[in-house]
């Protein structure tokens, strides 16, 4: 990126996952025309489009005043992203009301993603007439042109930059953790599965057509976008004592939002006044947050990127999985969790502990 430094070579190599090109998978994820790819040696699952740009993202140079908000998808990323941006920017509520969060705090792996091309691919899938394509392309560019930053724009942003990413740490520039600060958010995987299922049904990019039980199976067998879950989480957990990494549980944010804001502010070297703390806590209260048009992505419904039956900012509850899992499915997930947590000291906060 900036400067004349020697380009870093990403060691991960991406190969197509043959099972994602046909059969039941293609029926359940119809927009995935080119399937998904998996990396070696870490087995990260993503799209062929991202794989083409992975090394460019890997070469984004971190700065000492950068803050990365890192999570597996549906672990409270947008919530904490807004929290961190507000803390870093002295609770500038006026700017936060006027400017989309995606501009104030860019989504790293979407920076070089050919979003318009993917939408064109979906148009082709739905058999729309060829002559519509240039008009739709112009419309999407007009609407989204100021809502996303490309990698060059992120590189040239004035600091401090608050950068959102769902990438595991090994796909970020290797000097990130020793140079910048990272706020990592973890969540109980049972709630992640439920939230990610609804997310895949909401976005036309995924357009998942199967049921929750099948989705849980895809999730546990590492056949969904951004999988696998536990290696992503455990990599950060094992680095939680690094002075530049702050590890926070979604469940702790739900239990004591004010207290967790104070902890994050301290980690970032910021001090909030009592008035700022009270206002920020109210600003981030989930029912208020879900109505915030600069973070809730409702614009996606207006341009056909999301269906109208759900919301990007959904319930935000902990323990909602109890309303979705059958006893049999819950038992399978418990065994999967037990297998992946064996030999680690990571444990998830229970709903009972939250209420104490």
């Amino acid at each position: 990126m900036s400067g004349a430094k020697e380009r870093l070579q990403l060691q991960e190599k991406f190969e197509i996952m043959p099972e994602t090109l046909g059969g039941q998978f293609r029926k359940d994820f119809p927009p995935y025309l080119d399937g998904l790819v998996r990396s070696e040696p870490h087995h990260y699952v993503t799209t062929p489009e991202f794989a083409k740009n992975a090394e460019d993202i890997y070469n984004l140079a971190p700065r000492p005043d950068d803050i990365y908000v890192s999570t597996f998808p549906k672990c409270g990323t947008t919530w904490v992203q807004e929290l961190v941006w507000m803390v870093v920017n002295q609770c500038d509520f006026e700017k936060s009301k006027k400017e989309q969060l995606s501009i104030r705090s860019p989504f790293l792996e979407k920076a070089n993603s050919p979003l318009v091309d993917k939408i064109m691919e979906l148009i082709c899938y739905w058999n729309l007439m060829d002559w519509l394509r240039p008009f739709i392309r112009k419309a999407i560019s007009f609407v989204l042109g100021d809502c996303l930053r490309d990698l060059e724009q992120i590189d040239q942003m004035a600091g401090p930059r608050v950068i959102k990413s769902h990438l595991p740490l090994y796909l970020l520039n290797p000097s990130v953790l020793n140079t910048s600060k990272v706020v990592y958010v973890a969540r109980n995987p049972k709630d992640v599965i439920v939230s990610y299922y609804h997310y895949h049904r909401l976005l036309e990019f995924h357009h998942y057509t199967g049921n929750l039980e099948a989705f849980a199976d895809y999730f546990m067998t590492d056949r969904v976008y951004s999988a696998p879950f536990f290696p992503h989480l455990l990599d950060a957990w094992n680095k939680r004592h690094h002075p530049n990494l702050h590890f926070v549980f979604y469940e702790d944010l739900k239990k004591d939002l004010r207290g967790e804001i104070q902890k994050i502010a301290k980690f970032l070297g910021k001090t909030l006044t009592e008035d700022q703390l009270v206002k920020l806590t109210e600003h981030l209260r989930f029912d208020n947050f879900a109505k915030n048009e600069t973070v809730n992505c409702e614009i996606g419904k207006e341009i056909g990127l999301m269906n109208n039956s759900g919301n990007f900012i959904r319930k935000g509850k902990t323990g909602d999985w109890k309303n979705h899992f059958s006893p049999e499915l819950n038992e399978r997930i418990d065994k999967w969790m037990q297998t992946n947590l064996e030999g680690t000291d990571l444990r998830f906060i229970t709903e009972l502990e939250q209420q104490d």
Side-chain angles (χ1 to χ4, degrees):
M1 301 305 298
S2 59
K5 293 184 179 180
E6 184 177 349
R7 184 173 173 84
L8 300 172
Q9 184 175 2
L10 180 63
Q11 299 304 310
E12 296 291 311
K13 304 300 179 185
F14 295 90
E15 298 290 340
I16 195 72
M17 298 169 63
E19 66 271 27
T20 66
L21 294 175
Q24 189 61 46
F25 187 92
R26 284 286 285 113
K27 294 178 181 177
D28 287 341
F29 298 93
Y32 290 4
L33 303 183
D34 297 321
L36 295 174
V37 296
R38 178 181 284 125
S39 77
E40 292 295 340
H42 287 95
H43 311 303
Y44 181 71
V45 176
T46 186
T47 63
E49 291 84 3
F50 172 79
K52 295 174 185 175
N53 299 296
E55 190 165 277
D56 291 336
I57 291 172
Y58 190 69
N59 275 272
L60 180 70
R63 306 174 190 163
D65 62 348
D66 284 344
I67 303 100
Y68 285 75
V69 177
S70 175
T71 77
F72 189 88
K74 309 313 294 179
C75 289
T77 326
T78 306
W79 197 25
V80 175
Q81 185 186 7
E82 176 77 351
L83 186 166
V84 168
W85 187 91
M86 293 294 284
V87 167
V88 169
N89 288 277
Q90 293 299 308
C91 294
D92 190 342
F93 293 101
E94 288 305 311
K95 185 172 183 179
S96 74
K97 292 176 184 176
K98 296 176 183 177
E99 201 168 76
Q100 289 287 324
L101 180 59
S102 56
I103 285 292
R104 292 182 277 124
S105 172
F107 189 179
L108 181 57
E109 50 266 42
K110 296 299 182 185
N112 272 15
S113 175
L115 178 61
V116 174
D117 289 340
K118 172 53 69 175
I119 296 169
M120 293 301 108
E121 184 178 47
L122 293 176
I123 290 168
C124 179
Y125 171 78
W126 294 114
N127 295 317
L128 295 182
M129 296 172 64
D130 286 345
W131 63 269
L132 281 176
R133 296 185 186 184
F135 298 102
I136 296 174
R137 183 184 292 272
K138 288 180 181 178
I140 292 170
S141 297
F142 176 77
V143 174
L144 290 181
D146 291 331
C147 292
L148 296 169
R149 291 184 184 271
D150 62 29
L151 204 54
E152 184 176 354
Q153 289 173 320
I154 294 175
D155 188 46
Q156 295 174 356
M157 280 180 70
R161 301 180 299 186
V162 177
I163 299 172
K164 163 185 173 178
S165 178
H166 290 316
L167 295 175
L169 296 176
Y170 59 80
L171 286 177
L172 299 178
N173 189 295
S175 61
V176 161
L177 199 53
N178 289 326
T179 304
S180 310
K181 290 192 178 291
V182 177
V183 176
Y184 189 94
V185 191
R187 188 181 188 185
N188 189 307
K190 292 184 179 182
D191 283 325
V192 175
I193 289 172
V194 172
S195 185
Y196 211 23
Y197 161 72
H198 286 288
Y199 175 81
H200 275 74
R201 292 180 65 84
L202 175 67
L203 265 68
E204 294 297 337
F205 171 79
H206 300 291
H207 196 73
Y208 177 69
T209 61
N211 59 28
L212 175 59
E213 186 159 349
F215 184 83
D217 184 66
Y218 284 127
F219 192 96
M220 290 187 287
T221 55
D222 304 335
R223 291 178 293 160
V224 295
Y225 181 74
S226 292
F229 174 80
F230 274 107
H232 192 302
L233 172 63
L234 289 170
D235 186 23
W237 176 252
N238 292 332
K239 294 179 171 69
R240 68 191 183 280
H241 298 305
H242 192 290
N244 283 345
L245 191 144
H246 180 77
F247 194 103
V248 59
F249 285 99
Y250 180 92
E251 291 79 10
D252 282 332
L253 286 158
K254 291 290 292 184
K255 181 179 181 180
D256 182 15
L257 179 57
R258 177 188 169 105
E260 294 302 320
I261 291 172
Q262 290 175 304
K263 290 178 184 178
I264 290 174
K266 182 179 180 180
F267 169 70
L268 298 176
K270 302 292 182 180
T271 302
L272 301 180
T273 66
E274 177 62 21
D275 182 61
Q276 286 176 325
L277 187 56
V278 169
K279 289 180 178 177
L280 181 55
T281 303
E282 183 67 14
H283 175 73
L284 294 170
R285 197 158 55 85
F286 212 84
D287 53 347
N288 291 332
F289 192 69
K291 299 172 188 174
N292 186 339
E293 293 183 353
T294 67
V295 302
N296 64 16
C297 297
E298 287 296 298
I299 189 175
K301 294 180 180 178
E302 299 175 23
I303 59 175
L305 297 183
M306 299 191 306
N307 67 60
N308 290 315
S309 62
N311 297 290
F312 180 74
I313 307 293
R314 210 172 64 86
K315 294 182 179 180
K317 292 183 178 180
T318 58
D320 188 43
W321 61 267
K322 293 179 179 178
N323 300 316
H324 294 79
F325 294 169
S326 66
E328 294 77 16
L329 177 57
N330 187 50
E331 183 178 357
R332 285 171 50 212
I333 294 174
D334 279 339
K335 290 180 180 178
W336 168 73
M337 291 175 61
Q338 183 179 0
T339 298
N340 281 277
L341 291 174
E342 187 175 355
T344 78
D345 57 352
L346 172 63
R347 60 188 292 267
F348 293 100
I349 301 167
T350 66
E351 295 78 36
L352 184 60
E353 288 174 314
Q354 273 204 298
Q355 294 168 5
D356 290 343

